[in-house]
Amino acid sequence: MPTHPDKLAPGVQSTLQNEGDSLNQLPLGGSPLTPDQMQQVQHLIGSLTPLQQAWVSGYMAASANAAGPITLQPPSIAEVVPFTILYGTETNNAKGVAEALAAKAQAQGLETKLVNMADYKPAHLKNEKFLGIVVATHGEGDPPEGAEKLHAFLTSKKAPKLNDTQIAVIGLGDSSYEFFCQTAIDFEERLCALGASVLFERALLDIDYDEYAPDWVNGAVTAFEPLVKDANAGATAAGQPAPPAGFAMTTSDPVSLYTKSNPYLAEVATVQKITGRDSIKDVRHIEILLEDSELQYRVGDALGVYFLNDEKDVDAVLEALGLAPDQEITLGEDTLSLRDALLERLELTLSYPGFVEKYAAATGNATLTTLTEDKAKLREYIADRQIYDVIHDYPEQIEAQGLVDCLRKIQPRSYSIASSQAETEDEVHLTVATVEFDAFGREHLGGCSGYLNRRVEEGTRLRVYVEPNDNFRLPQNPDTPVIMIGPGTGIAPFRAFLQEREVTEATGKNWLFFGNPHFTQDFLYQVELQDFLKAGLLTKLNVAFSRDQAEKIYVQDRIRQEGAELYRWLEMGAHLYVCGDANHMAKDVHQALFDVLMEHGGMNEESAEEYISELKDQKRYQKDVY
């Protein structure tokens, strides 16, 4: 891994190209199924009751041993009316809550259907009688990408009347953003406008959602249970085909031992700076050992990482408030010292309105109390302040337990995985940019990025777990060309993609767009990319170093310059991926794609939008943005 970029070959700057030879794909482990088939099987199993799972398994076994296909006969009983659970997720948190809701409903004997909004046909909405909505809010009040179509459908002229539909909605969000849980609010309001009635009260949960979601799940299932059972009184299990004799029922899919609530304690092997000495960015390549954890990940997944707060900042807070570090406090069911709680368990970087409101109430500070009454001014105040800053601005008297009760628990940060396990085996790699700025007389660092890049050393133990991301996957067919757009640390998953395509000998062409401020300081993974290019794995590489010339050039500019070729690749069936900043880059890239379709595809605005929508429906336009 280079510590700083080397020089490019002469005459190569904005476009690097090399046509690679076709290679054959290796078999996929011990399973005869393709990744896409595996995903379809998992989706099906997740939507079935244990009895249905057993019957399907028996049917498949019988079918495999039969001389010909076995014809399925529909049951001659009343049609089943399911409790349908739709989820919209960006980081799989909403999926986890939806799965918990489905499991609870099935345990209570309810016919249950669990569907990702990305896979749901909006036209089926008119058939739903009992509907649970579990949805996250992304960015500034936006729906997750997979929920966009259904979200838009509900306000379209095609949306049906839902006078016989009963609903319950739970939203996940982050109260540090202005439009907290806006997508969940939208869904409930739009469904009600179509005639649906709310059966169970909506819940809007913050990033500590996992503490409160179980109560809502239990309440929702209790509310739906008698209605769903009454509706299905005539469609009893007696009408269901019985599982084959001797078949053992499986009640759940295999899951990792290590999760967000039970992370793996992994060892850090490498922390290496990969930007130059004079770069305005501090980006580190981090290698973490998974050893005997049996943790498995796929390219496109993220790694959840827990962190520790900075000791000097914690001590400064204790000093400012005049609190004894060894004073005991209670956190949930645990009793520990105040200093340990502030170091290991409580959020002190990411500020949010809830903290200011609780702190103002606990201290009785009149200025803060007045500030909390004006939501716009409150958000303006916390916009560039960490929790540390609020405390230093208003170091009031407060009890140790009172301070703890004002703070929320540390939440892990997610990083796109920058390696293929097929290549690195018992390692997982990350590409982490340090969040840092000077304000209010002191240096500020991001909670997790500051910990990983400035305080973690070789041998440090980290609590980690894998966050699957089924919305960001390589195409099933290894012959399919891929276009990857990843400026800055957005290159992380594409390093993983290229490693995976190399190891599996995928024959499809690969095209990468990468951008950063300066060529000599910020060309992340330059040597690796040049090796991929020389070997023919990387077919095309377009780079945009924005500040190396008078006129700033970004990846979206390269996209427009290469518009004709990019459109040709799309017409050949290429999959397009975008990773990086959601607020600016991803929107600019989307607009550039829109412009390419109009200029080189001869489309008007409406047909370009339809083309992009079709790409998304076919999972040929996927984004991992933050």
Side-chain angles (χ1 to χ4, degrees), residues 278-327:
D278 299 323
S279 174
I280 60 174
K281 298 184 176 184
D282 177 8
V283 179
R284 310 284 172 120
H285 171 79
I286 299 173
E287 298 180 359
I288 300 169
L289 303 178
L290 300 179
E291 297 176 324
D292 299 324
S293 68
E294 298 186 1
L295 272 175
Q296 295 184 350
Y297 62 88
R298 295 172 61 187
V299 294
D301 287 344
L303 192 74
V305 181
Y306 284 92
F307 62 96
L308 302 180
N309 288 314
D310 193 329
E311 290 191 27
K312 66 176 176 31
D313 290 332
V314 167
D315 291 339
V317 166
L318 292 170
E319 182 180 355
L321 298 176
L323 294 172
D326 57 353
Q327 187 169 348

Side-chain angles (χ1 to χ4, degrees), residues 416-430:
S416 301
I417 291 176
S419 56
S420 163
Q421 199 162 25
E423 168 70 21
T424 61
E425 298 182 343
D426 290 337
E427 294 182 8
V428 60
H429 298 175
L430 305 178

Side-chain angles (χ1 to χ4, degrees), residues 4 40 78 100 103 119 151 154 168 184 260 264 293 337 348 366 407 521 528 532 580 623:
H4 61 274
Q40 292 176 26
D119 302 322
H151 186 264
L154 293 177
K260 180 181 179 182
Y264 174 66
S293 68
S337 74
L348 291 173
L407 298 165
Q521 302 294 320
E528 290 185 24
F532 284 142
K623 292 185 283 189

Side-chain angles (χ1 to χ4, degrees), residues 255-264 295 306 463-466:
V255 294
S256 171
L257 292 174
Y258 301 105
T259 61
K260 180 181 179 182
S261 58
N262 181 40
Y264 174 66
L295 272 175
Y306 284 92
R463 293 179 296 151
V464 303
Y465 63 97
V466 173

Side-chain angles (χ1 to χ4, degrees), residues 13 155 161 216 225 368 392 474 580:
Q13 173 70 23
T155 55
K161 293 296 182 183
W216 185 90
E225 181 177 352
L368 276 181
H392 285 301
L474 279 168

Side-chain angles (χ1 to χ4, degrees), residues 77 128 156 229 233 244 260 277 323 352 356 543 577 584 604:
I77 55 174
E128 307 293 357
S156 71
K229 286 185 174 179
K260 180 181 179 182
R277 180 181 304 169
L323 294 172
Y352 54 99
V356 181
V543 293
Y577 302 87
H584 301 290
N604 57 28

